[in-house]
């Protein structure tokens, strides 16, 4: 099944050859044989779907079809109560004609094309449900035998016309199918209602797990921030300040120890020198680290 006379964009249509590939029964020869449909029914389903979900027209390849389409749009706009001269203008160049269709596509309701652009894998819509409708009669013998006055009476008044329609065997058959489908829908609805409590329990369980997930994500983000702070190299200025403070503390501690030894003289000279050198050693080590860090900062 191929669209002729036009190039368009639609999830059901193959872009290169304009072949209809989105309708499940005609996707392959095997699928067509298995479905058991008549060709007319398949064409009817595809046309009905395109009417409800029209494709985006990119270009007309058949000038005759283009002229018919332009004339139809012109007539519909001229009959519209809101029509004006600007809407009835005929585009002359292919560029303006293409721009005109793009404007119409922009004013149209959202179609499946919008979703296709976002996901690149548009879902394939299912065909309409298969309802076994009775065949439409080709002739109506009772109408053929009616007088003209009786026919006019039925056409002009609703009550006689409705009475005639309801007396047809086709109407009774349609009512039977309608009641059958209504009963089927009722049973499905009742089955869904029996699963309502189970659905609510599942919803509550999912909501609880979602809340737990959010809490764990929040805790993870706090720990991640803390880890990043710990893994970052320390600030050089802060490190220099800490080293300077520690250097002064080591110097003051050695001076305090020396002052106590002078006043008390409890320890021997050798012990004093050994302890004093260790304290001053810490002082000079911290000073050396400060110089190394300052030189590294100046080089950077």
């Amino acid at each position: 099944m191929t669209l002729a006379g036009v190039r368009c964009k639609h999830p059901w249509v193959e872009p290169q050859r304009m072949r209809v590939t989105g309708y499940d029964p005609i996707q392959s020869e095997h699928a067509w044989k298995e479905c058991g449909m008549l060709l007319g029914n398949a064409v009817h389903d595809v046309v009905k779907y395109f009417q409800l979900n029209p494709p985006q027209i990119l270009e007309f390849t058949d000038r005759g079809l283009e002229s018919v389409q332009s004339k139809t749009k012109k007539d519909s706009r001229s009959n519209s109560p809101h029509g004006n001269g600007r809407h009835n203008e005929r585009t002359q160049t292919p560029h303006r004609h293409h721009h005109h269709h793009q404007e119409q596509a922009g004013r149209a309701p959202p179609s499946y094309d919008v979703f296709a652009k976002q996901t690149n894998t548009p879902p394939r819509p299912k065909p309409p449900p298969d309802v076994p409708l009775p065949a439409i009669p080709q002739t109506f013998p009772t109408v053929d035998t009616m007088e003209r006055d009786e026919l006019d009476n039925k056409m002009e008044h609703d009550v006689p016309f409705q009475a005639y329609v309801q007396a047809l065997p086709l109407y009774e058959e349609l009512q039977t199918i309608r009641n059958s489908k209504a009963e089927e829908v009722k049973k499905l609805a009742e089955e869904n209602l029996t699963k309502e409590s189970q659905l609510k329990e599942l919803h509550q369980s999912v909501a609880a797990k979602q809340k737990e997930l959010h809490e764990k994500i929040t805790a993870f983000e706090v720990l991640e921030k803390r880890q990043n702070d710990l893994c970052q190299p320390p600030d050089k200025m802060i490190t220099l300040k800490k080293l300077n403070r520690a250097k002064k503390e080591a110097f003051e501690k050695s001076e305090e120890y020396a002052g106590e030894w002078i006043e008390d003289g409890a320890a021997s000279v050798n012990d004093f020198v050994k302890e004093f050198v260790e304290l001053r050693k810490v002082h000079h080590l911290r000073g050396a680290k400060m110089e190394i860090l300052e030189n590294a900062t100046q080089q950077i």
Side-chain angles (χ1 to χ4, degrees), residues 279-298:
L279 294 175
R280 280 300 176 94
K281 181 180 178 181
V282 174
H283 166 72
H284 291 297
L285 284 174
R286 291 173 179 174
K289 290 179 180 180
M290 287 183 61
E291 292 180 3
I292 294 173
L293 190 57
E294 288 174 351
N295 294 332
T297 305
Q298 291 176 0

Side-chain angles (χ1 to χ4, degrees), residues 125-294:
K126 295 182 179 180
D130 185 15
V131 180
L133 296 177
I136 299 177
Q138 300 296 324
T139 59
F140 294 86
T142 55
V143 176
D144 296 338
T145 58
M146 287 183 183
E147 299 293 337
R148 178 60 182 266
D149 295 339
E150 187 177 359
L151 287 173
D152 292 341
N153 181 51
K154 293 184 182 301
M155 295 298 296
E156 294 174 0
H157 301 86
D158 291 338
V159 175
F161 180 76
Q162 293 293 336
Y164 170 74
V165 171
Q166 293 178 7
L168 293 174
L170 178 64
Y171 179 82
E172 183 178 357
E173 191 174 353
L174 286 173
Q175 289 297 108
T176 302
I177 295 175
R178 173 181 174 274
N179 296 334
S180 174
K181 291 298 178 183
E183 187 67 23
E184 182 180 346
V185 171
K186 179 182 177 182
K187 290 181 180 180
L188 291 175
E190 291 175 350
E191 291 180 3
N192 290 337
L193 288 176
T194 58
K195 299 178 181 180
E196 182 179 8
S197 59
Q198 181 181 1
L199 178 61
K200 288 183 177 179
E201 292 178 359
L202 291 174
H203 179 269
Q204 293 176 357
S205 175
V206 171
K209 291 183 180 298
Q210 187 178 22
K211 181 180 179 181
E212 182 182 358
L213 176 62
H214 287 321
E215 293 175 353
K216 290 185 177 181
I217 290 176
T218 303
F220 170 77
E221 290 176 349
V222 173
L223 294 175
E224 186 180 25
K225 184 178 182 302
R226 183 179 176 185
Q227 180 188 24
N228 293 335
D229 294 339
L230 293 174
C231 293
Q232 288 181 355
D235 184 78
K236 291 184 178 180
M237 298 304 298
I238 296 176
T239 305
L240 285 172
K241 289 181 180 179
K242 289 182 178 181
L243 284 173
N244 189 35
R245 184 166 56 252
K247 175 185 173 185
K248 290 181 179 180
E249 291 177 356
F251 179 80
E252 292 173 358
K253 188 174 181 180
S254 63
E255 289 296 315
E256 182 181 354
Y257 176 74
E260 291 177 355
W261 183 79
I262 293 173
E263 292 178 0
D264 298 340
S268 63
V269 176
N270 293 333
D271 293 339
F272 165 74
V273 171
K274 183 178 179 181
E275 185 66 22
F276 182 78
V277 169
E278 288 295 329
L279 294 175
R280 280 300 176 94
K281 181 180 178 181
V282 174
H283 166 72
H284 291 297
L285 284 174
R286 291 173 179 174
K289 290 179 180 180
M290 287 183 61
E291 292 180 3
I292 294 173
L293 190 57
E294 288 174 351

